[in-house]
Amino acid sequence: MTVIQTENLSKVYRVAQKAPGVRGAVKALVRPHHVHKTAVDGVSFSVNRGEMVGYIGVNGAGKSTTIKMLTGILLPSGGSVRVLGRDPHRDRVANARQVGVVFGQRSQLWWDLALIESLNMIARIYEVPPARYQQLLEQFADTLELQELLNVPIRSMSLGQKMRAELAATLIHEPEIVYLDEPTIGLDLLVKERIREFIRQQNQEKQTTVILTTHDIGDIEELCQRVMIIDEGKLIYDGPVRTIKERFGKYREITFETAVSTNHLSLPPGAELVHNEARRLLLRFDRTLTSASKVAASVMNQIEVLDFSLAEPDLSMIVKQIYRGALQHNDAPDTEAA
């Protein structure tokens, strides 16, 4: 069942521009000059119930703007969007009852109140039945390790504690769709893993649909089977994480620790020197043109090698390749729905 559907969704901002200095400020006041900036440009996709979809892109690509249109915060400039059969902007109250949102840079909790007071208030706002609320509260306190934080004001919590509290507040009314915008930003590895496991559990137990925007590619690899990549407002890839790894994961990297420094190496076709510093060489090669053994043998025939290691490509490496223009090549995959 489709729960999110967009067709040629776009958002254009009208931005005021002024020249520097006092003269520029006066001119802007008397005769303001505006330019139009396209943040989202004709984006179309659909998401089914229970999917966990990664939505990634560089800063300014249009990720957060898309999420704000899906939640009804922003009115689209063009195209259409339907969430659970509704227009999220026209039916904001009804839409809000069935979605949850975590913005990693903003809080929905009351800064000076204890966590339990914020959760009590949110439960009343969403009219969660008292018995069900107590059940969920106990579950979240146990899974997210919030028991000792319930009586602590939000302002006194660490970043990781705040994010766990935000997740509890977002899911306490059991929304059908959850938008997570940078949910693990700035967190240490242990907290990240706890949050990932909680999100995974909610998805498996309740078929909660999750849209995840993040710069942490590890979140995508751990949680999502499908990824959408947006660049300059346009959707440039929509498909399985597995497929993008298979199509663009042809590059490997080998790191060599050498006995002496060198500035001259003869490498087989398809291999290149990426970094050379302090007797440490980083080479990248195309596995369709050569092999790790050939590259290693070539280097070892020219210089004494103390140690070397082969790195398999991860999603972050592949995304960098895509932004360098890999999708412009003929072997690039067509945009596809998962």
Side-chain angles (χ1 to χ4, degrees):
M1 175 184 173
T2 300
V3 294
I4 300 173
Q5 180 78 51
T6 74
E7 292 289 343
N8 295 317
L9 186 65
S10 65
K11 181 62 181 179
V12 179
Y13 292 103
R14 188 167 179 260
V15 182
Q17 282 193 339
K18 75 176 187 69
V22 176
R23 184 176 180 179
V26 173
K27 184 178 179 181
L29 185 64
V30 176
R31 188 177 296 173
H33 173 66
H34 294 86
V35 296
H36 291 88
K37 175 177 172 52
T38 301
V40 176
D41 188 2
V43 168
S44 300
F45 61 82
S46 62
V47 178
N48 294 327
R49 185 181 302 279
E51 276 196 276
M52 286 204 289
V53 181
Y55 193 49
I56 61 178
V58 298
N59 287 332
K63 304 185 303 298
S64 294
T65 299
T66 305
I67 297 300
K68 288 175 181 177
M69 287 190 285
L70 294 178
T71 57
I73 295 173
L74 290 178
L75 176 66
S77 302
S80 65
V81 54
R82 308 294 291 182
V83 176
L84 296 168
R86 301 187 186 93
D87 181 321
H89 187 78
R90 292 180 181 274
D91 300 315
R92 291 186 64 180
V93 174
N95 184 65
R97 288 188 174 278
Q98 293 183 286
V99 305
V101 188
V102 172
F103 287 110
Q105 307 284 12
R106 293 179 175 83
S107 177
Q108 62 185 308
L109 300 169
W110 286 266
W111 193 246
D112 293 311
L113 296 183
L115 172 59
I116 186 63
E117 295 178 38
S118 288
L119 293 177
N120 289 341
M121 192 174 300
I122 292 171
R124 287 196 293 271
I125 290 172
Y126 284 98
E127 299 177 344
V128 181
R132 182 56 178 163
Y133 170 60
Q134 287 302 318
Q135 185 181 5
L136 290 169
L137 183 61
E138 292 174 9
Q139 177 190 344
F140 291 176
D142 178 59
T143 307
L144 292 170
E145 298 183 10
L146 295 174
Q147 197 63 51
E148 296 182 358
L149 299 175
L150 290 176
N151 294 308
V152 176
I154 304 303
R155 57 179 164 75
S156 301
M157 294 183 184
S158 68
L159 181 59
Q161 291 170 338
K162 288 174 187 172
M163 188 51 61
R164 284 183 279 146
E166 290 285 350
L167 280 171
T170 297
L171 292 163
I172 202 69
H173 67 290
E174 299 184 280
E176 294 188 44
I177 301 172
V178 177
Y179 305 103
L180 303 177
D181 192 5
E182 300 287 358
T184 63
I185 188 169
L187 305 183
D188 62 50
L189 290 176
L190 290 177
V191 177
K192 281 185 181 182
E193 186 52 42
R194 187 179 298 124
I195 287 176
R196 288 169 182 169
E197 182 56 38
F198 178 73
I199 295 169
R200 189 182 297 112
Q201 180 189 56
Q202 294 296 304
N203 170 259
Q204 292 173 350
E205 292 180 357
K206 302 176 182 178
Q207 282 292 289
T208 304
T209 304
V210 178
I211 306 295
L212 173 64
T213 75
T214 179
H215 284 95
D216 189 333
I217 300 299
D219 290 341
I220 304 295
E221 291 189 294
E222 288 287 329
L223 294 171
C224 304
Q225 292 185 325
R226 174 185 172 192
V227 63
M228 298 188 293
I229 303 176
I230 188 171
D231 184 32
E232 295 183 349
K234 294 182 179 293
L235 195 63
I236 62 173
Y237 179 84
D238 179 3
V241 174
R242 179 190 67 256
T243 299
I244 200 172
K245 279 189 167 185
E246 290 172 353
R247 298 264 184 113
F248 295 99
K250 63 180 183 177
Y251 292 101
R252 302 288 190 272
E253 291 183 348
I254 307 182
T255 301
F256 294 91
E257 292 183 15
T258 60
V260 296
S261 299
T262 182
N263 293 319
H264 303 285
L265 279 177
S266 177
L267 299 174
E272 63 176 336
L273 180 63
V274 177
H275 187 69
N276 179 7
E277 185 177 358
R279 300 198 299 274
R280 188 179 182 89
L281 305 175
L282 175 62
L283 278 70
R284 184 175 63 184
F285 68 93
D286 183 340
R287 65 181 174 85
T288 64
L289 300 176
T290 187
S291 64
S293 60
K294 289 180 179 179
V295 175
S298 175
V299 174
M300 290 178 181
N301 286 336
Q302 299 174 69
I303 191 171
E304 182 181 353
V305 174
L306 302 177
D307 194 13
F308 73 93
S309 60
L310 175 66
E312 292 296 316
D314 59 14
L315 190 57
S316 62
M317 186 188 303
I318 293 168
V319 169
K320 288 178 183 177
Q321 293 172 28
I322 291 174
Y323 275 109
R324 285 198 295 262
L327 279 175
Q328 305 303 318
H329 297 166
N330 292 331
D331 63 344
D334 295 329
T335 300
E336 57 186 73

